[in-house]
Amino acid sequence: MSNEPHELGLKPSLALPTPQTLSKRRILSLDEIEGADLALVGGKAFRLAQLRKYGFSVPPGLVLTTEFFKAQIMAAKLTPLWAGSPDIAVTAEALNWLADALKLKPLAPELSSEFESRLQQTYTPEVDSFAVRSSVIDEDHRDHSFAGMHLTELGVPRSALPIAITRCWASALSGPTVKYRQVHGLSIQSIRVALIIQPLLSPEIAGVAFTINPLTGARDEIIIEATWGLGNSLVAGHIQPYYYKIAAQPPDYPLIEQQAGIVPPVSAKTTRGDQPLTVTQIGELARQLEQIQALMGEPQDIEWAYQDHCFFFLQTRPAAVVPSAQSTQNREWTHHGYAQHLPPLPSPLFAAFLEAIQPQLTRFLTELGININHLAPLEKFILGRPYLNLTLIKAAITQVGLTSGSLLHLLGDTKAASAGALFTVDWKTAWAARAIYRSIWQQTRQLDDTLANVQAAINQTIANLSLPKAGLSSDLLLAQLRRQSQQYGHIKTVQLTLTLSRIILTGLGAKLLPTSIQPPITTLTTAAVQGADLFQERLHHRLVELGQWVQSQAVQIGQAQPGNFPESSVQSEEFKQKFTALLATYGHYATHDVDPGQPRYDEMPDTLLAMIAAHAQSKTGYESAEIKRAAELSQIPWWRQWLLHPLLTRLRKVLIKQDQLHENLVKFIMAVRQWHLALGQIWSAAGWLETPQDIFWLTLEEIERTLRVEEGLAVTLSSTIQARKETYDMYAKTTTPFVIKDTEVPAIQLGYGSSNGSGAADVFIGLPISPGQARGTVVVVRQPDEFNQIADNVILVMPSTDPAWLALLSSAAGLIVETGGLLSHGSVIAREYGLPAVANIPQATQRFHTGDKVLVDGSTGVIQLLERRPTSTP
């Protein structure tokens, strides 16, 4: 990326402009354009100046600024037609007349003299063929590009430049351009026009490129069109170019698809073959295209030319992408299940990962044959919180002939259970959707191989994620960064396959259960997981064992006292050995282990010590809820048990595979965290970040841009992070509903919550996750370290059920949580304790208050508020 201006006729020594010219800034070279000159030179010239500043090859150019254009209007006494006056309105007819007048009037003598002087100062006499392009102030925007509207003059002799200048000015004021402005709601008053004058290249190859697929919006694809010679015929659509679709995967940039164009006459071709670009040239061009995108901060539409073994860039503007059809439905979103592995506000880096993989998930569902009817994405962030597309899930279920109030209830649709049968099958629709079932079944049958491939791919990705260090090329780091999001997307598609398999199996099993056993999903999941050695449960049991060991040691030395933690026990060598072994096995986990921005246990071992301390002080022993579920199933007719057995066996395998996949995901996220921390360390040492951990406040796109452009953008990172932290502080103070519709999002007031409020109902319906009934006094616990506030036989109300909270359960009579799934840590342990529990109660920690009297029914998911706390209760 080096400019070679002398090769294009630029004089090596430039005379400085006169003070008068400098003050008016009517003519500027591309290298004289400054950061505040956008309104003076227009977007096209401004972006070309940015490219030259950062070392891209751009032909040198002079810019006739809007001040030059305005001076010509004033000298010709045409200002009222252009800007209007109290007596004259600016109309399309007036601008057409003005356009004709500009073409007929020569440049004002002062302007002509100034222009000729700068032209002679800038270019050698041998340069006698120029390109004149418009740079109108409001053109080349994403939603109004003016593509092809403004005249471009190519091959203009030096002597004819004044004529070309007035013709290009006129094109910005002519009928079609003015009509385009009116259609797009743009002002036609005081249209400001700048022009770029550059030596005309004589390229071997030329073309256009998009750093995003303009038809699909896929950001992991680059589209290049190329032809021999000048690219003006290609841009105008007069020829069929060669087409290349490239994967945005540096450093190789593999070719996904190519289509041959119309082969020009032999005389117009080079001797290199029948294709304009070689594989090497494609890779080099793609690399520079991505660097331009990184510099501009968004996908670009770029005109380029290849001459003298160098790629030159003639224009770059925001890419206009075919807008996806918007759903007319008011989509519904649920916050279900995220609290099990994510903090209330995940890191911006994780949010970027999740949003980046949505096209992969959409393609996966489409390939299965599910018509999502423009309901995508499957997941998105609302005010810093992840939400699942409940409307899309409902549509998918309906397409395969299922009606599952139980499943939708599990996902947070609290109205689903009362809407009708918990599970029904429309066999006619199911038969029509048999191709979808066949696709899902084929995916399920291949799960063993798929999981093995995923594990191998994760291991390979981890092995290739060499920690960033000073001196590594940006291409290598970019390739590693992109592999991270691609691998995460692959993992999520496998998770989606397992979820679909689980839905179908529990649905079929529900048809074999009597109506007296409710809810069917809870019953079947509990029965299938019985006795399974799930990795996610082993940590909890290991913590309980260590807590019991600490307590037993304290008893032996006479230090055991109720409510006190025996500190001396954890100082022993034996405990240190046990704790070291625990960290070696589970140190890569975290309280919220899917977010790379969250510290791992081996970084913060005190978190595990606190859990062990809590278990050492808690009661032990419980009655297994799984035994009760087994007893329920043993009472159904034998033939139903016989039919259920293979379904439960298959469901058990699916649940075990989900557990194995999650373990692999956690290892992968740990490697991703280490990679970003190493990069953050480099940037922190360079003064770009305050701490290495600040890198988790950046998005993938911001990290890519910084890797590409480095010092040019790195100085803005700290201010970007500070602003984002302030925004997230506001998000943290904002209450968002557990289930929300698109139209309700604007009603949420930052710092407060939705205008609908949470209500003050006496009956709440949630997801039953552990059967039984319990009556008691509410204790709201918002932080795990509030252990000392917990008395025996109370109803705990908590935000989630991650491992940090589990030690509290042995002291409770019942449990209410804001969010959590059937297989979350807390749900499993609640069933082991025989603790009635209900999940998916939005804003439970706000709706209930310490001192309230409630009845919790973990079999039906119903919570009754029996008595509000006395107002005097603190």
Side-chain angles (χ1 to χ4, degrees):
M1 295 187 306
S2 61
N3 292 313
E4 299 292 345
H6 61 280
E7 294 184 3
L8 298 175
L10 186 68
K11 286 188 176 180
S13 177
L14 294 178
L16 293 176
T18 65
Q20 180 183 5
T21 304
L22 191 60
S23 65
K24 294 180 179 179
R25 295 176 66 79
R26 294 194 295 215
I27 302 178
L28 298 174
S29 73
L30 288 175
D31 297 327
E32 293 171 341
I33 294 174
E34 300 172 352
D37 288 339
L38 177 60
L40 191 64
V41 302
K44 185 180 297 181
F46 187 82
R47 286 187 286 269
L48 288 179
Q50 289 290 102
L51 293 186
R52 282 182 63 86
K53 176 182 176 182
Y54 284 98
F56 292 91
S57 294
V58 174
L62 288 178
V63 180
L64 306 187
T65 70
T66 57
E67 287 297 316
F68 192 96
F69 172 69
K70 182 178 177 181
Q72 174 70 3
I73 293 284
M74 295 176 67
K77 296 182 172 53
L78 298 172
T79 304
L81 295 176
W82 173 65
S85 72
D87 301 321
I88 301 177
V90 177
T91 64
E93 292 76 12
L95 289 178
N96 271 318
W97 190 94
L98 175 59
D100 291 337
L102 281 174
K103 287 187 288 187
L104 295 175
K105 287 185 177 291
L107 292 179
E110 179 186 359
L111 299 178
S112 178
S113 175
E114 183 180 338
F115 173 64
E116 287 295 335
S117 176
R118 285 302 302 266
L119 199 65
Q120 291 176 14
Q121 293 170 3
T122 305
Y123 300 111
T124 61
E126 291 77 15
V127 179
D128 194 40
S129 181
F130 292 88
V132 182
R133 295 181 174 89
S134 69
S135 184
V136 181
I137 300 308
D138 45 10
E139 74 171 325
D140 286 350
H141 287 231
R142 187 185 303 105
D143 51 354
H144 48 272
S145 66
F146 286 87
M149 291 282 179
H150 299 130
L151 181 65
T152 293
E153 294 273 17
L154 300 178
V156 180
R158 187 183 293 242
S159 60
L161 280 174
I163 298 173
I165 289 170
T166 57
R167 283 167 50 84
C168 288
W169 278 342
S171 72
L173 307 173
S174 61
T177 310
V178 173
K179 180 66 174 177
Y180 183 89
R181 285 179 171 276
Q182 292 173 324
V183 168
H184 286 78
L186 301 174
S187 173
I188 63 172
Q189 185 174 0
S190 300
I191 298 172
R192 294 174 293 169
V193 186
L195 298 178
I196 309 170
I197 300 173
Q198 297 169 291
L200 182 67
L201 297 177
S202 299
E204 304 165 33
I205 314 161
V208 296
F210 281 76
T211 61
I212 186 175
N213 190 319
L215 297 181
T216 66
R219 297 176 73 101
D220 56 353
E221 295 175 354
I222 298 172
I223 306 298
I224 297 175
E225 291 183 342
T227 188
W228 284 272
L230 290 170
N232 55 314
S233 297
L234 185 157
V235 174
H238 296 159
I239 65 168
Q240 180 179 328
Y242 277 75
Y243 171 92
Y244 305 92
K245 181 192 290 185
I246 301 151
Q249 299 175 13
D252 299 329
Y253 295 100
L255 188 62
I256 300 174
E257 178 187 350
Q258 71 179 58
Q259 297 175 13
I262 295 177
V263 180
V266 176
S267 59
K269 294 168 50 179
T270 68
T271 60
R272 292 179 298 105
D274 290 335
Q275 291 200 33
L277 293 172
T278 66
V279 173
T280 302
Q281 288 174 324
I282 289 172
E284 173 58 24
L285 177 57
R287 183 179 68 83
Q288 295 197 44
L289 293 173
E290 286 210 300
Q291 290 174 332
I292 293 174
Q293 174 180 275
L295 177 62
M296 299 302 163
E298 59 183 330
Q300 295 291 295
D301 170 2
I302 300 166
E303 293 182 20
W304 56 271
Y306 186 78
Q307 176 178 313
D308 299 329
H309 308 290
C310 179
F311 282 103
F312 287 87
F313 298 99
L314 310 178
Q315 174 177 295
T316 182
R317 62 188 175 197
V321 180
V322 175
S324 58
Q326 297 296 315
S327 172
T328 57
Q329 296 192 43
N330 187 15
R331 293 172 300 182
E332 196 171 24
W333 303 85
T334 173
H335 190 53
H336 160 76
Y338 291 105
Q340 183 176 350
H341 300 294
L342 291 172
L345 289 173
S347 68
L349 180 62
F350 172 79
F353 270 117
L354 193 67
E355 291 175 346
I357 66 170
Q358 293 309 305
Q360 286 179 259
L361 302 183
T362 300
R363 286 196 297 268
F364 173 75
L365 291 173
T366 303
E367 288 167 0
L368 288 178
I370 298 173
N371 179 12
I372 59 176
N373 195 29
H374 311 301
L375 295 175
L378 179 63
E379 298 167 290
K380 76 172 183 178
F381 274 74
I382 299 175
L383 300 182
R385 297 170 174 87
Y387 277 79
L388 178 69
N389 192 333
L390 194 56
T391 301
L392 188 152
I393 298 297
K394 290 179 180 179
I397 292 174
T398 302
Q399 286 179 49
V400 295
L402 305 181
T403 301
S404 178
S406 182
L407 170 66
L408 297 176
H409 196 191
L410 179 148
L411 293 177
D413 187 358
T414 54
K415 300 177 183 178
S418 58
L422 287 181
F423 191 94
T424 60
V425 179
D426 181 344
W427 293 107
K428 182 177 180 180
T429 303
W431 175 253
R434 60 190 181 277
I436 299 177
Y437 282 102
R438 189 181 304 114
S439 297
I440 297 174
W441 176 246
Q442 289 173 349
Q443 295 277 351
T444 303
R445 290 186 62 187
Q446 298 169 3
L447 274 175
D448 286 333
D449 292 338
T450 301
L451 282 174
N453 292 336
V454 167
Q455 184 167 353
I458 289 175
N459 292 338
Q460 184 65 35
T461 301
I462 292 174
N464 291 336
L465 283 181
S466 54
L467 295 183
K469 55 186 178 182
L472 286 181
S473 71
S474 61
D475 280 345
L476 176 60
L477 294 175
L478 277 169
Q480 293 178 348
L481 181 64
R482 289 183 183 167
R483 273 197 291 269
Q484 294 170 25
S485 59
Q486 291 163 4
Q487 186 61 59
Y488 182 53
H490 189 196
I491 294 172
K492 286 284 286 189
T493 57
V494 179
Q495 284 182 329
L496 198 52
T497 301
L498 289 165
T499 300
L500 292 172
S501 301
R502 182 179 164 192
I503 290 171
I504 293 174
L505 290 169
T506 52
L508 293 173
K511 300 300 294 182
L512 298 172
L513 295 178
T515 56
S516 60
I517 298 181
Q518 295 294 347
I521 288 183
T522 305
T523 300
L524 293 169
T525 301
T526 304
V529 82
Q530 182 179 356
D533 186 21
L534 299 182
F535 194 94
Q536 297 181 62
E537 292 184 39
R538 294 178 210 158
L539 173 59
H540 168 71
H541 292 302
R542 186 69 182 123
L543 291 173
V544 172
E545 290 174 2
L546 277 177
Q548 293 173 351
W549 182 87
V550 169
Q551 187 65 22
S552 67
Q553 295 298 303
V555 170
Q556 292 179 16
I557 62 177
Q559 292 185 356
Q561 295 182 12
N564 292 329
F565 178 59
E567 294 284 351
S568 60
S569 299
V570 300
Q571 301 299 326
S572 68
E573 285 300 321
E574 186 175 357
F575 176 81
K576 291 179 180 178
Q577 292 176 2
K578 292 177 180 292
F579 189 71
T580 300
L582 180 73
L583 280 179
T585 306
Y586 301 100
H588 59 287
Y589 269 80
T591 301
H592 304 295
D593 46 32
V594 175
D595 186 351
Q598 292 292 304
R600 308 291 107 172
Y601 288 141
D602 58 6
E603 299 175 59
M604 299 181 63
D606 286 349
T607 305
L608 286 179
L609 286 173
M611 295 182 195
I612 293 171
H615 287 299
Q617 299 171 71
S618 65
K619 297 183 299 183
T620 58
Y622 50 80
E623 179 183 2
S624 175
E626 274 71 10
I627 297 176
K628 295 181 180 179
R629 289 296 187 188
E632 286 182 335
L633 293 178
S634 66
Q635 296 175 8
I636 67 175
W638 69 267
W639 62 272
R640 292 196 180 196
Q641 295 184 44
W642 181 75
L643 291 173
L644 267 176
H645 179 72
L647 291 176
L648 290 176
T649 300
R650 174 66 64 176
L651 180 58
R652 176 190 176 93
K653 292 180 179 179
V654 168
L655 295 174
I656 290 174
K657 286 180 171 60
Q658 281 185 319
D659 182 70
Q660 293 170 345
L661 183 63
H662 181 77
E663 164 63 9
N664 283 308
L665 173 60
V666 172
K667 290 180 179 178
F668 169 71
I669 294 296
M670 172 67 169
V672 169
R673 174 175 172 79
Q674 291 174 333
W675 189 92
H676 284 273
L677 281 175
L679 184 61
Q681 185 66 49
I682 296 172
W683 289 1
S684 176
W688 301 349
L689 302 176
E690 291 186 8
T691 68
Q693 289 75 14
D694 275 349
I695 198 168
F696 299 112
W697 286 93
L698 298 174
T699 65
L700 289 172
E701 187 172 85
E702 289 164 347
I703 294 174
E704 283 196 17
R705 290 183 66 195
T706 306
L707 286 172
R708 283 295 191 194
V709 185
E710 296 183 342
E711 289 89 345
L713 294 175
V715 294
T716 67
L717 292 183
S718 293
S719 58
T720 298
I721 291 169
Q722 182 59 37
R724 187 161 291 142
K725 287 181 177 180
E726 293 173 0
T727 301
Y728 270 61
D729 285 342
M730 187 64 70
Y731 287 164
K733 299 173 184 176
T734 305
T735 300
T736 57
F738 186 77
V739 175
I740 188 172
K741 293 183 177 179
D742 284 330
T743 55
E744 295 171 347
V745 175
I748 298 176
Q749 298 180 353
L750 285 177
Y752 300 95
S754 65
S755 60
N756 298 334
S758 58
D762 293 331
V763 176
F764 305 86
I765 301 176
L767 172 68
I769 59 175
S770 182
Q773 284 190 349
R775 182 192 303 262
T777 302
V778 164
V779 172
V780 177
V781 184
R782 295 185 176 86
Q783 298 294 332
D785 57 5
E786 297 176 2
F787 293 126
N788 293 333
Q789 301 179 22
I790 307 304
D792 289 345
N793 300 317
V794 297
I795 307 297
L796 287 181
V797 179
M798 305 188 302
S800 64
T801 55
D802 60 65
W805 303 85
L806 300 185
L808 283 71
L809 302 188
S810 63
S811 300
L815 178 65
I816 302 171
V817 291
E818 291 184 339
T819 184
L822 287 174
L823 290 184
S824 66
H825 302 101
S827 302
V828 173
I829 304 306
R831 291 192 293 270
E832 291 179 348
Y833 281 123
L835 187 68
V838 177
N840 291 2
I841 302 295
Q843 292 100 37
T845 57
Q846 300 175 42
R847 293 185 174 192
F848 298 100
H849 302 87
T850 297
D852 291 346
K853 306 290 185 181
V854 298
L855 174 65
V856 177
D857 190 332
S859 301
T860 63
V862 175
I863 303 169
Q864 297 182 52
L865 179 58
L866 304 176
E867 181 183 338
R868 285 287 184 188
R869 69 175 182 182
T871 55
S872 59
T873 301

